[in-house]
Amino acid sequence: MINKKSRDEIKRMRHAGHIVALVHKKMKEVIEPGISTKELDDIAMQVIKGERAIPTFLGYHGFPGCICASINEQVVHGIPHENVTVKEGDIISVDVGATYAGMVGDSAWTYPVGKVSDEVQRLLKTTEEALFAGISQMKAGNVLDDISGAIEAVAVREKMGIVRQYGGHGVGHEMHEDPFLFNYRVGDNTLIKSGYAIAIEPMLNLGCDEVVVADDEWTVSTKDGRPSAHFEHTVLATDDEPLIMTQLME
Ligand code: MG
Ligand code: MG
């Protein structure tokens, strides 16, 4: 069942989303060659705790961090570690959730570390474009396939691989609620209604679609070892334009 968010729930989710956006603002500032993913996790924790919120990911199905930090060919769910550092030319995807007053915000962004290659830059630009193409379809009266199709069209145009096993999701009281949202058309004609909140999150690859899960049972990487990017916002359907909830409030 897909829950419509009440006015009060939306207010609290918007606050959670603001905190998530604060974490990303900080990540953008501190990511540089030599920083470890554990340091990034600690910084994210400080921001979330400082805002009197709860790091949603910590302990979720036993996940040991409050961010997922996935470098280069890693797609999602990378575990922060003090021995894992980024270097010039890498990309790092940071996914983070915050729970505030019982409501969740969820957002991911892929950051370049210093200067990256032209093709990697194109991967980042395309995946971000796919996210915003998806967001533009998050309107009451559209169907889920409209969002999926918009994401897919951008990926296909740029000949990027589309991760098939993971996708977007409803979000609210829980991080993962109904519905599941594919990043390619599947013929899902579920109607989008005002008050639905969905985390829209394309994961695109420079190479093939296929991914593998590491022995740690978390880290997902591309099968061909080529880079992958992940951009995500929590978005509310309204009677008017889509509202991005995981952005800074004025
Ligand atoms: Mg996320
Ligand atoms: Mg998500």
Side-chain angles (χ1 to χ4, degrees), residues 222-241:
T222 55
K223 196 172 181 183
D224 60 8
R226 302 203 69 203
S228 182
H230 181 204
F231 286 79
E232 173 186 36
H233 270 309
T234 296
V235 186
L236 181 77
T238 71
D239 291 324
D240 195 15
E241 289 302 303

Side-chain angles (χ1 to χ4, degrees), residues 2 8 17 19 29 47 68 70 77 82 84 91 98-100 117-118 123 139 142 145 149 152 164 166 224 226 246:
I2 308 174
D8 177 61
I19 295 164
E29 287 167 18
V47 173
C68 295
S70 310
H77 305 164
E82 58 193 5
V84 176
I91 52 172
T99 306
Y100 180 82
S117 70
D118 289 349
L123 170 69
K139 287 180 176 171
N142 278 359
D145 230 31
E152 182 179 28
R164 309 273 157 172
Y166 302 88
D224 60 8
R226 302 203 69 203
T246 38

Side-chain angles (χ1 to χ4, degrees), residues 95 106 167 169 175-176 199 201 232:
D95 194 353
D106 181 14
H169 51 90
M175 178 157 63
H176 292 121
E201 49 180 313
E232 173 186 36

Side-chain angles (χ1 to χ4, degrees), residues 157-226:
R157 189 195 74 207
E158 295 296 327
K159 300 186 171 56
M160 299 286 174
I162 302 172
V163 175
R164 309 273 157 172
Q165 289 91 333
Y166 302 88
H169 51 90
V171 52
H173 290 277
E174 305 289 338
M175 178 157 63
H176 292 121
E177 298 185 350
D178 287 342
F180 184 80
L181 175 70
F182 289 88
N183 285 320
Y184 54 98
R185 276 189 193 281
V186 290
D188 189 337
N189 289 322
T190 303
L191 197 62
I192 299 167
K193 296 178 182 172
S194 178
Y196 283 7
I198 294 179
I200 300 174
E201 49 180 313
M203 287 150 259
L204 303 186
N205 305 336
L206 263 185
C208 68
D209 296 349
E210 285 77 32
V211 296
V212 289
V213 181
D215 290 341
D216 65 16
E217 295 181 357
W218 281 106
T219 313
V220 177
S221 298
T222 55
K223 196 172 181 183
D224 60 8
R226 302 203 69 203

Side-chain angles (χ1 to χ4, degrees), residues 32-80:
E32 60 175 17
I35 198 162
S36 75
T37 53
K38 177 69 169 71
E39 286 174 281
L40 295 177
D41 194 64
D42 289 343
I43 291 165
M45 174 71 103
Q46 279 170 20
V47 173
I48 293 169
K49 289 274 172 75
E51 296 293 323
R52 300 186 308 283
I54 297 164
T56 315
F57 293 7
L58 187 63
Y60 187 82
H61 295 286
F63 189 78
C66 63
I67 61 168
C68 295
S70 310
I71 299 171
N72 296 337
E73 77 283 0
Q74 296 174 351
V75 180
V76 286
H77 305 164
I79 298 173

Side-chain angles (χ1 to χ4, degrees), residues 120-138:
V120 167
Q121 189 56 48
R122 192 168 66 88
L123 170 69
L124 300 186
K125 196 164 162 263
T126 302
T127 312
E128 184 177 352
E129 184 188 341
L131 168 63
F132 284 94
I135 289 172
S136 73
Q137 298 301 311
M138 181 66 181

